[in-house]
Amino acid sequence: MPRSDVHPEFHFESWQVWPGSYDNPPASEAIYPFPDVPALKINRGTPIASMGSCFAREIKDVLIDKDYSYIREEAGHPASKHASAAWERTYNAFSMRQIFEYTFDEWRPRVHWWKAPVSGVIQDPYRRIILYGSMEEAGADFERHRLASRNALKRAEILILTFGLTEIWEDKVDGFVICLPAGPYVNEGGDMSRYRFRVSRYQENLDNMERIYELMKAHNPRCKLIVTVSPVHLWATFRKDLDVISASWNSKATLRAAVDEFVSRHDNVFYFPAFEMAVTYRVILGKPLFTEGREPFHVNRETVDFIMDNFFRMFSTE
């Protein structure tokens, strides 16, 4: 008589099976269940650069605090707080690609600067609310920044990229992507008619990652990449068809799928599961993962510590 073998027998490693299911060990309070140790290893002498969205700042701060050789160009610049140069927070893969293009290639947006219509303040549309007193000051600072950006990316033996979201504001004329529709120019009624909001999709995000890889391979071929998806959710969405929670998960899912394909294509690109550690593993442990107060979309200190402890466990020889 026909029958169904509901649970065929396979041999799995413990990290291949959901923690605590059947005979698998429960989730560890301290150790995330990684697969085999990756080929990439770092120590305190390894030059490391990083950029990305809000969680990139956490990575930077911990690496510096633990005395790793974190690359810091433009250290006194207000836009360098979150990364290895004055890139500011880089929320989407388009803005990140543009950094590599203005660093290593031709980059000529038709509108490079905004001038606030009331105060006359000069604003960089492509980096998060960086302001200047004049066009001359803005131009000179950007040229210094391009050199610093080049120095940081060419010095790095490890580059950590943290991807955050898929919502973009795009110039309808030349296709360049601004950081955010915010700051004095927008607040004072500057003309935003040339820009449109849209949600970017899987293939174009993957294409951005490949463009970054292409430029790094050409200008710093020894550099290895660690990529991750930020565990910090969207504070708000510009979408009118989805609530913020659904929009945030769409961003994260799209980026996670693109990153998976990106990593699979290159032997010198590695994935670090910061997102999964926060939004799934910490939940399995029954631990709170979000901050309290005004920023409950951001992961809390305990979650950051858990993620970074496992980062060193996965990659460091120290």
Side-chain angles (χ1 to χ4, degrees):
M1 188 173 178
R3 66 186 182 87
S4 173
D5 190 347
V6 179
H7 297 290
E9 290 189 11
F10 296 100
H11 173 71
F12 292 113
E13 300 294 338
S14 62
W15 47 265
Q16 292 178 286
V17 180
W18 196 267
S21 63
Y22 295 96
D23 297 327
N24 205 44
S28 165
E29 292 276 338
I31 301 175
Y32 184 83
F34 292 118
D36 296 334
V37 177
L40 183 151
K41 286 297 179 184
I42 64 172
N43 56 49
R44 285 186 169 85
T46 307
I48 302 171
S50 70
M51 70 172 70
S53 60
C54 292
F55 194 73
R57 184 182 68 231
E58 305 287 1
I59 294 173
K60 172 182 178 176
D61 289 347
V62 174
L63 287 169
I64 292 171
D65 184 63
K66 291 188 176 293
D67 294 323
Y68 279 75
S69 298
Y70 187 82
I71 294 170
R72 285 183 278 184
E73 295 280 343
E74 304 175 280
H77 198 292
S80 68
K81 179 180 179 181
H82 306 274
S84 290
W87 300 313
E88 240 292 343
R89 279 158 286 189
T90 311
Y91 295 112
N92 61 73
F94 294 78
S95 293
M96 195 177 288
R97 186 202 75 227
Q98 289 173 174
I99 289 172
F100 289 84
E101 289 179 338
Y102 71 58
T103 300
F104 294 124
D105 203 358
E106 292 293 321
W107 189 78
R108 294 178 180 173
R110 294 194 184 185
V111 177
H112 193 158
W113 306 103
W114 285 342
K115 184 175 182 179
V118 178
S119 64
V121 167
I122 307 303
Q123 181 177 341
D124 187 340
Y126 304 100
R127 292 182 292 163
R128 191 179 186 274
I129 314 180
I130 301 175
L131 309 176
Y132 302 96
S134 68
M135 286 288 189
E136 292 75 19
E137 180 190 5
D141 184 67
F142 186 69
E143 287 308 310
R144 288 191 296 269
H145 168 61
R146 290 181 69 183
L147 291 174
S149 180
R150 189 178 183 90
N151 288 340
L153 293 175
K154 286 182 72 69
R155 286 171 56 199
E157 293 182 13
I158 302 293
L159 175 60
I160 305 171
L161 304 177
T162 302
F163 296 99
L165 52 83
T166 57
E167 297 187 5
I168 62 171
W169 284 84
E170 181 180 61
D171 190 317
K172 292 182 288 188
V173 179
D174 61 17
F176 286 88
V177 171
I178 63 172
C179 179
L180 282 173
Y185 178 81
V186 177
N187 297 341
E188 295 176 17
D191 182 13
M192 294 295 292
S193 62
R194 69 181 292 137
Y195 303 101
R196 64 166 181 161
F197 168 76
R198 70 180 181 89
V199 179
S200 63
R201 301 301 179 183
Y202 167 86
Q203 187 60 53
E204 53 191 332
N205 280 282
L206 178 58
D207 290 345
N208 288 330
M209 296 172 194
E210 289 292 346
R211 176 63 171 151
I212 291 168
Y213 183 86
E214 174 190 4
L215 288 167
M216 283 300 290
K217 184 177 180 181
H219 295 276
N220 185 359
R222 77 186 189 285
C223 184
K224 297 179 180 180
L225 274 59
I226 299 174
V227 292
T228 192
V229 175
S230 172
V232 179
H233 277 284
L234 274 66
W235 166 65
T237 179
F238 289 100
R239 297 181 68 160
K240 303 298 185 182
D241 61 330
L242 280 183
D243 62 273
V244 66
I245 295 173
S246 298
S248 185
W249 273 101
N250 177 72
S251 274
K252 303 302 183 182
T254 302
L255 290 169
R256 182 63 187 91
V259 163
D260 191 65
E261 176 63 22
F262 179 51
V263 172
S264 74
R265 294 180 177 187
H266 305 289
D267 292 339
N268 60 344
V269 181
F270 302 85
Y271 180 67
F272 177 64
F275 180 74
E276 292 87 338
M277 289 182 192
V279 302
T280 300
Y281 198 73
R282 294 282 290 175
V283 173
I284 292 173
L285 290 172
K287 303 291 186 181
L289 61 137
F290 295 119
T291 57
E292 297 179 356
R294 291 171 56 85
E295 295 189 350
F297 53 91
H298 203 294
V299 291
N300 60 27
R301 186 74 251 162
E302 292 78 12
T303 301
V304 172
D305 291 343
F306 178 82
I307 291 170
M308 292 309 297
D309 285 348
N310 278 279
F311 175 89
F312 294 118
R313 187 171 289 114
M314 184 173 184
F315 294 117
S316 180
T317 61
E318 300 283 346

